[in-house]
Amino acid sequence: MIKKAVIPAAGSGTRFLPLTKAQPKEMLPIVDSPTIQYVIEEALQAQINDLLIITGRSKRAIEDHFDRSFELEQQLKEKGDLKLLERIQQIANLTNIHYIRQKEQKGLGDAISYAEQHVYQEPFAVLLGDSVISAEESCIGQLIKLYQRFGASILAVEEVPPDKVHRYGIIKGQKIADDLYLLEDLIEKPKPNEAPSNLAIAGRYIFTPNIFEFLKKTPKGKGDEIQLTDAIKLMAKKHAFYAFKFKGKRYDIGNKLEFLKTNIEFALDRADFRDEILKFLQETLDKHQKAVENRQ
Ligand code: UTP
């Protein structure tokens, strides 16, 4: 069984500057909760209850969010807002969260290396702290089921349009069943004509503990950082490694445009906002349409 998850959240988030200068992108809100809370809830849905968050510089807000705030709880009690009080207490009681600091931002591969002492010799899940996945069955739960069948490392992939492959890590794989591939290679941000597929790595993984051995052998790569994809490439040459096209949709919050779209989509899913947001979108579209017509 997979009982432990590692959530890397120490990256610098340069794609989201200036906002990420002094605050973590993993705390960016999706409607009224920070991104990383959705990530943790996904792990809990899959019965994982031991979480290790890799944090770093300017990431204190993450620890504070999952800690108790007696002052705030007292204020809510005095105001008689018991519903909100319950929600705030629930967040602090979510699960057993451990933290370790990545001392320098030396890449996602380096961040995962910090988990070795914690996961020890068990297989473990990795969920990127800046990616939310909406799915009926949690994405990491879908991977765990396959891990139980094959006993090998596995990562989630999603189909992306061919003109967007240059933004992602793209897999080359041998199809062995519906939506399941044996990993042969990975290419980081390929040009459309060099991409071996349109299946992009989606920020969810199950690793056997020998990933640490390969991380140690991985030299610095792109951006002078230890890249997780480079370690996976090395590992896939020696051990069976699978890729699964999961059922669901991934949202990359580290990308400004996707962050904005995600908020609209999630707000439309909420009964308390849906009608107002729809009305607002309709009115805004009409206004823009009229402005375009007036210019013609
Ligand atoms: P990204 O690939 O988005 O890198 O990280 P980044 O540095 O955070 O952001 P940009 O590209 O500069 O905008 C994917 C995940 O890996 C974590 C991030 O926090 C994010 O959740 N990460 C990345 C680390 O924990 N440490 C690192 O050194 C790099």
Side-chain angles (χ1 to χ4, degrees):
M1 234 347 240
I2 307 286
K3 296 187 295 277
K4 292 184 177 171
V6 176
I7 302 180
S12 46
T14 48
R15 283 173 298 152
F16 222 118
L17 280 168
L19 184 125
T20 42
K21 185 172 171 232
Q23 51 180 323
K25 65 173 164 179
E26 294 77 9
M27 287 300 290
L28 279 165
I30 304 178
V31 186
D32 56 6
S33 298
T35 299
I36 195 165
Q37 190 176 316
Y38 291 87
V39 177
I40 286 183
E41 282 166 356
E42 180 186 333
L44 296 180
Q45 241 186 51
Q47 318 301 324
I48 295 174
N49 51 23
D50 180 323
L51 300 174
L52 176 69
I53 302 183
I54 316 288
T55 65
R57 210 168 40 79
S58 310
K59 303 279 182 172
R60 276 282 302 279
I62 297 177
E63 289 181 47
D64 288 345
H65 180 74
F66 294 109
D67 200 359
R68 287 195 72 175
S69 167
F70 295 102
E71 216 178 280
L72 175 65
E73 289 177 22
Q74 190 54 36
Q75 272 175 20
L76 292 172
K77 256 184 226 156
E78 280 163 18
K79 274 170 68 181
D81 198 340
L82 299 182
K83 226 170 140 193
L84 200 52
L85 174 66
E86 197 188 327
R87 182 87 185 102
I88 294 296
Q89 286 173 332
Q90 251 174 16
I91 295 165
N93 294 331
L94 268 178
T95 190
N96 205 0
I97 306 183
H98 308 268
Y99 298 91
I100 189 161
R101 270 174 89 95
Q102 184 186 17
K103 296 201 176 63
E104 276 178 78
Q105 287 155 328
K106 289 200 292 190
L108 178 56
D110 178 65
I112 303 290
S113 307
Y114 280 77
E116 185 169 10
Q117 296 293 323
H118 187 82
V119 301
Y120 195 48
Q121 284 174 358
E122 289 174 46
F124 63 102
V126 169
L127 299 90
L128 297 193
D130 64 350
S131 290
V132 169
I133 291 186
S134 74
E136 236 163 72
E137 179 185 3
S138 75
C139 176
I140 204 70
Q142 296 176 41
L143 295 189
I144 290 174
K145 272 194 187 152
L146 287 164
Y147 175 80
Q148 282 162 346
R149 229 170 97 197
F150 295 102
S153 298
I154 180 156
L155 54 78
V157 289
E158 62 172 349
E159 262 181 279
V160 295
D163 63 323
K164 301 225 165 81
V165 288
H166 65 280
R167 292 195 197 159
Y168 301 94
I170 300 291
I171 69 149
K172 178 172 180 220
Q174 183 196 336
K175 190 167 181 175
I176 53 167
D178 272 354
D179 299 328
L180 188 65
Y181 302 80
L182 185 62
L183 199 63
E184 289 174 335
D185 203 2
L186 286 175
I187 302 178
E188 203 47 66
K189 303 188 171 74
K191 293 191 185 118
N193 60 348
E194 285 167 4
S197 72
N198 66 338
L199 296 172
I201 303 177
R204 299 292 185 268
Y205 314 77
I206 304 290
F207 287 113
T208 54
N210 44 21
I211 184 66
F212 296 114
E213 177 195 320
F214 293 94
L215 280 167
K216 283 177 197 134
K217 288 185 197 153
T218 303
K220 282 184 183 168
K222 198 169 166 287
D224 214 23
E225 293 183 340
I226 310 280
Q227 299 291 346
L228 181 61
T229 45
D230 290 343
I232 295 174
K233 268 168 88 144
L234 287 180
M235 187 166 164
K237 285 190 186 135
K238 292 266 165 74
H239 301 269
F241 204 124
Y242 296 92
F244 178 61
K245 193 159 76 148
F246 69 97
K247 285 160 198 68
K249 183 169 175 195
R250 179 211 190 182
Y251 302 86
D252 173 12
I253 306 303
N255 170 313
K256 289 177 191 174
L257 187 60
E258 260 204 60
F259 163 76
L260 294 168
K261 289 184 186 170
T262 306
N263 267 287
I264 296 172
E265 222 175 295
F266 276 61
L268 286 172
D269 266 350
R270 290 260 303 244
D272 48 347
F273 293 123
R274 192 171 184 279
D275 293 346
E276 280 292 323
I277 295 284
L278 270 178
K279 193 166 156 254
F280 166 76
L281 289 174
Q282 196 56 59
E283 285 167 4
T284 311
L285 280 175
D286 289 348
K287 207 170 94 193
H288 280 270
Q289 185 62 34
K290 275 197 191 110
V292 171
E293 284 165 10
N294 287 343
R295 275 204 297 269
Q296 281 165 356

